[in-house]
Amino acid sequence: MTAVNRHFYVAIMAGGIGSRFWPYSRTDHPKQFLDILNTGKTLLQWTFERFAQFIPHENIFIVTHHHYAAKVREQLPELLVENIVSEPSRKNTAPCIAYISHKINRQDPKANIICAPADHLIMDPIAFASTCLNALMFVQKHSALVTLGIKPTRPDTGYGYIQFETQQVADNVYPVKTFTEKPNLELAKTFLQSGDFLWNAGIFVWNVKTILAAFNKYLPEIDELFVQGTSKLNTPEEKKMIESIYPQCTNISIDYAIMEKADNVYVIPSNFGWSDLGTWASAYENLERDEDGNAVQGKNVMLVDATNCMVKAPQEKLLVIQGLDEFIVVDTSDVLLICKKENEQQIKEYVAEVKRNKGEKFL
């Protein structure tokens, strides 16, 4: 598939620390830079390749924390160095998207942009490209903020949900009614049965002018900071300007800041084999499993009467595991995690507890 339009861009957001994949994912080497599923490529590399099928290389930007800029260069040597956009601190997705939107607008006021995380799994890249191109062509002609919604396959409480109107406004494009953050199980079951709810994939598409107008309307305090510094974007003065702006930015997601407030939000129901690979259980679901339901990464893992477990160990290390059912076992050189699968959403809390009791050493 060749690039179809020089005004099509993608901003890949790659600045998170992936704490739910601890202890494999660490602050200095988080999950987007890891080969979580033993494919031979990292999640970031897969994401770049996926978009490079239909977006010109020079229009692909990676937005990351400044500590990870060198890792991005190392893993994506084909990416233009100037397209690695460094954030001085983590401020969630709204400041990140404001930054890259103003930067791209300075370069191309006709830009249509996909904003996507670096760490998602997409099993059908052809269907994904087709959906993205449909979205890009829609936002090129309409003042619309588009999100990609995934048809739910189970009542998952780990995802946000999007309710949509049943009357489409264009080919497979529907107005959004409501956003609901992670619901409880009963509500998730109701959503699944109703048929007009989708999982929120966190992949957004819009024309640069449309998103900048939304920032101006719904998050003017952040927008104003970038407007004042516009002349320094794409110049040697950009780094210093951004370092002065970021401490003043609110730490807020694009969902809360804009998508849940705006009246021009649309969704494209999508089916391209998506997983946000947010947790060890989601990795388990996407790995090959043995006859006892165990997904094992490690050459010297021995399981005795163990079932439905996710096990990751260093290749050279012998692990003998007996009697566990529905557990996550992750062994690294300095940390061993043994956790019930049903409690995996608490791994973030365990990481916070480790930080409080043991400092930064194991993070």
Side-chain angles (χ1 to χ4, degrees):
M1 190 177 296
T2 54
V4 293
N5 192 311
R6 65 186 177 88
H7 298 301
F8 289 174
Y9 291 77
V10 63
I12 298 169
M13 298 175 284
I17 57 172
S19 59
R20 285 182 296 174
F21 268 101
W22 183 84
Y24 186 44
S25 175
R26 301 292 183 95
T27 303
D28 64 350
H29 200 72
K31 71 167 180 170
Q32 59 268 31
F33 302 110
L34 299 171
D35 179 6
I36 296 281
L37 299 178
N38 281 355
T39 62
K41 290 176 186 167
T42 68
L43 296 176
L44 176 65
Q45 288 169 330
W46 278 118
T47 302
F48 177 85
E49 286 187 16
R50 198 180 303 131
F51 284 112
Q53 298 300 307
F54 62 97
I55 301 285
H57 273 208
E58 64 272 18
N59 290 4
I60 300 176
F61 288 81
I62 311 288
V63 189
T64 191
H65 190 272
H66 68 97
H67 284 319
Y68 306 145
K71 288 188 189 299
V72 174
R73 274 201 301 277
E74 181 187 316
Q75 293 199 358
L76 299 176
E78 62 271 62
L79 182 72
L80 295 176
V81 174
E82 59 267 31
N83 285 16
I84 301 172
V85 180
S86 296
E87 294 182 284
S89 57
R90 294 183 183 88
K91 290 285 187 171
N92 215 318
T93 50
C96 164
I97 288 171
Y99 178 11
I100 193 62
S101 299
H102 278 280
K103 186 174 171 66
I104 291 175
N105 182 58
R106 185 86 175 144
Q107 178 180 318
D108 180 4
K110 293 183 179 178
N112 303 282
I113 308 169
I114 302 168
C115 291
D119 51 8
H120 286 184
L121 176 69
I122 306 290
M123 300 298 288
D124 188 344
I126 293 171
F128 178 73
S130 174
T131 303
C132 287
L133 287 169
N134 183 33
L136 284 164
M137 288 185 278
F138 179 75
V139 300
Q140 194 173 26
K141 296 172 186 168
H142 302 87
S143 177
L145 305 171
V146 170
T147 182
L148 304 188
I150 307 300
K151 292 169 185 173
T153 55
R154 59 187 182 277
D156 200 301
T157 59
Y159 297 142
Y161 285 73
I162 301 165
Q163 185 183 25
F164 62 99
E165 305 277 1
T166 52
Q167 192 68 40
Q168 64 181 22
V169 296
D171 182 30
N172 203 33
V173 181
Y174 298 82
V176 168
K177 266 191 197 174
T178 60
F179 285 89
T180 305
E181 271 308 296
K182 301 170 183 177
N184 61 37
L185 186 59
E186 285 310 306
L187 198 52
K189 284 178 180 173
T190 305
F191 288 172
L192 190 66
Q193 287 162 3
S194 75
D196 60 350
F197 281 83
L198 303 164
W199 287 334
N200 185 357
I203 302 170
F204 307 104
V205 191
W206 38 55
N207 178 272
V208 70
K209 288 287 187 276
T210 308
I211 189 61
L212 290 181
F215 271 107
N216 179 259
K217 183 174 181 180
Y218 299 107
L219 211 56
E221 65 277 17
I222 284 181
D223 188 57
E224 185 56 35
L225 292 170
F226 286 98
V227 168
Q228 287 173 2
T230 296
S231 63
K232 292 174 182 173
L233 291 169
N234 306 326
T235 77
E237 297 174 78
E238 178 177 326
K239 184 174 182 286
K240 191 175 177 184
M241 183 270 289
I242 291 300
E243 284 172 354
S244 71
I245 278 179
Y246 255 66
Q248 302 173 64
C249 287
T250 313
N251 187 323
I252 189 169
S253 73
I254 195 74
D255 301 78
Y256 284 128
I258 290 176
M259 301 302 283
E260 294 181 13
K261 297 174 183 172
D263 55 8
N264 57 336
V265 180
Y266 298 84
V267 66
I268 295 180
S270 310
N271 190 3
F272 38 67
W274 172 88
S275 167
D276 77 340
L277 276 188
T279 61
W280 281 114
S282 63
Y284 169 85
E285 293 296 333
N286 288 287
L287 285 165
E288 199 174 314
R289 299 186 284 281
D290 65 19
E291 63 273 15
D292 295 315
N294 298 304
V296 178
Q297 293 183 315
K299 284 181 183 172
N300 295 308
V301 176
M302 293 173 60
L303 299 174
V304 183
D305 301 326
T307 49
N308 306 312
C309 289
M310 166 76 224
V311 182
K312 184 164 185 66
Q315 296 294 354
E316 70 284 354
K317 194 166 184 180
L318 172 64
L319 263 65
V320 181
I321 297 169
Q322 187 276 331
L324 294 187
D325 176 52
E326 297 279 353
F327 268 80
I328 297 160
V329 180
V330 183
D331 193 22
T332 69
S333 61
D334 61 343
V335 177
L336 169 63
L337 170 74
I338 303 172
C339 172
K340 282 186 175 178
K341 262 203 248 162
E342 65 189 46
N343 295 332
E344 65 155 7
Q345 294 289 348
Q346 294 171 33
I347 289 176
K348 265 183 131 168
E349 296 167 29
Y350 306 152
V351 173
E353 195 69 20
V354 168
K355 186 175 182 178
R356 276 193 295 273
N357 290 297
K358 303 292 181 183
E360 305 274 344
K361 181 183 175 185
F362 298 104
L363 305 186

